[in-house]
Every structure is written in C-alpha cells, then in structure tokens.
Amino acid sequence: MTDHQGPVRTASVQTRNRSFKESLIRQENKVNDHRKRLIDYVELLADAKAQLKLQRELPSANLPVELVTAMDYLFSQKERQCRRIFSEAEFVGLLELQRRLDLSAEQMASHGHRNLTEVLTSTEWKSVIWFARVFADKLNNTVPAEV
C-alpha cells in the first residue's frame, strides 16, 4: 500500500504547488489590475475633455459625484492593498488627491453644483485636475512597488 501512496502523494503535492503558483499569478494580476485602474482614474481626473466626453456618453450620470466617490471605492476602501502596490511617495500622492477631491465635494455640496460644466470652472476642481496631471505623469514614469 505504501508503494501506491508515494506517487499519489507526489502528484497531490505537485497539484497543490501548481494551484498555489496559479493562485499567486492570479493575485499578482489582480494587484496589477488594481494599480492600472487607479492610474486610469487619475488620468481621467487629469483630463477635463475626457470628463466632458464621458458626461456626454452618460448623460443621466451625476459625473462629478461619480468621480469623487470612485476614489472611495478605488482607494479608501482598499487602502491596505494600495499601501502594498504603490510606493510610499505614490501613496502620499493618493492621499493628497483624496484630500483635494474631498475639498471639491464640499464645495459642490455648498454651492449646489450639479453638472460637470459648472464643476470644471471651480477652483477646487481645477486644483484636482492640475494635481492629477502632475501625479499621473509620476505614476506612469515609476516602477510599481513590490508586492
């Protein structure tokens, strides 16, 4: 009976090792995908024309609110993951972007800005765009942090 367990056990270990490796690859892809999604989001924030185009494609969406709340979904709710996939400097940049978005959201709420055209003229949103432009360039020219 032990003769039969040897090859079976070896095959079982090999299967577990393969499954583990596949799981690591899936996890790495997931991490890279999340980094890419966040960079794509920062690039959208950096581009007023792209925001206007998106608003035309999604006329019923309250795009300013959607853009602000996307940061919560992509960053705030996944802060631990972001700490692993972004360098310390990049992470600090994400915190600064979040701060600027929060200021813009406060301004939108207090002034009743409901459409993107109005929001694009606000000082707070211009600050978001400016910072996102600089930050997107930095994100695109750096090597991802070790996972």
Side-chain angles (χ1 to χ4, degrees), residues 12 17 20 55 68 71 78 92 94 111 115 118 147:
S12 175
N17 285 343
F20 180 71
Q55 182 67 72
V68 169
M71 185 66 167
K78 299 177 186 206
V92 169
L94 289 167
H111 290 88
N115 69 54
E118 291 174 348
V147 178

Side-chain angles (χ1 to χ4, degrees), residues 8 11 16 28 36 47-48 51 54-55 60 68 72 74 81 92 98 100-101 104-105 108 125-126 129 134 138 141 145:
V8 171
R16 279 188 301 214
E28 185 177 329
K36 176 148 179 30
D47 188 347
Q51 294 172 34
L54 187 58
Q55 182 67 72
S60 62
V68 169
D72 291 334
L74 290 169
Q81 181 182 5
V92 169
Q98 182 178 35
R100 289 172 188 255
L101 285 164
S104 187
M108 282 187 266
W125 199 256
K126 287 178 183 178
I129 291 171
V134 172
K138 288 180 182 178
N141 291 309

Side-chain angles (χ1 to χ4, degrees), residues 31 35 81-87 90 143-147:
V31 165
R35 180 180 171 87
Q81 181 182 5
C82 290
R83 281 193 181 274
R84 290 192 317 266
I85 61 177
F86 290 96
S87 70
E90 292 170 336
V143 176
E146 290 294 318
V147 178

Side-chain angles (χ1 to χ4, degrees), residues 20-102:
F20 180 71
K21 287 178 186 175
E22 290 169 355
S23 175
L24 286 177
I25 291 169
R26 279 194 305 274
Q27 183 64 25
E28 185 177 329
N29 289 340
K30 195 175 181 182
V31 165
N32 290 337
D33 288 348
H34 188 73
R35 180 180 171 87
K36 176 148 179 30
R37 277 194 303 275
L38 250 164
I39 292 172
D40 289 346
Y41 167 70
V42 172
E43 289 173 342
L44 176 60
L45 290 175
D47 188 347
K49 288 181 183 178
Q51 294 172 34
L52 288 167
K53 181 181 179 206
L54 187 58
Q55 182 67 72
R56 284 191 301 276
E57 293 170 0
L58 304 168
S60 62
N62 185 342
L63 195 60
V65 170
E66 295 294 331
L67 289 171
V68 169
T69 57
M71 185 66 167
D72 291 334
Y73 171 74
L74 290 169
F75 178 65
S76 300
Q77 293 179 15
K78 299 177 186 206
E79 193 170 319
R80 270 195 196 138
Q81 181 182 5
C82 290
R83 281 193 181 274
R84 290 192 317 266
I85 61 177
F86 290 96
S87 70
E88 183 63 29
E90 292 170 336
F91 188 80
V92 169
L94 289 167
L95 289 171
E96 176 60 20
L97 181 60
Q98 182 178 35
R99 185 188 71 77
R100 289 172 188 255
L101 285 164
D102 289 345

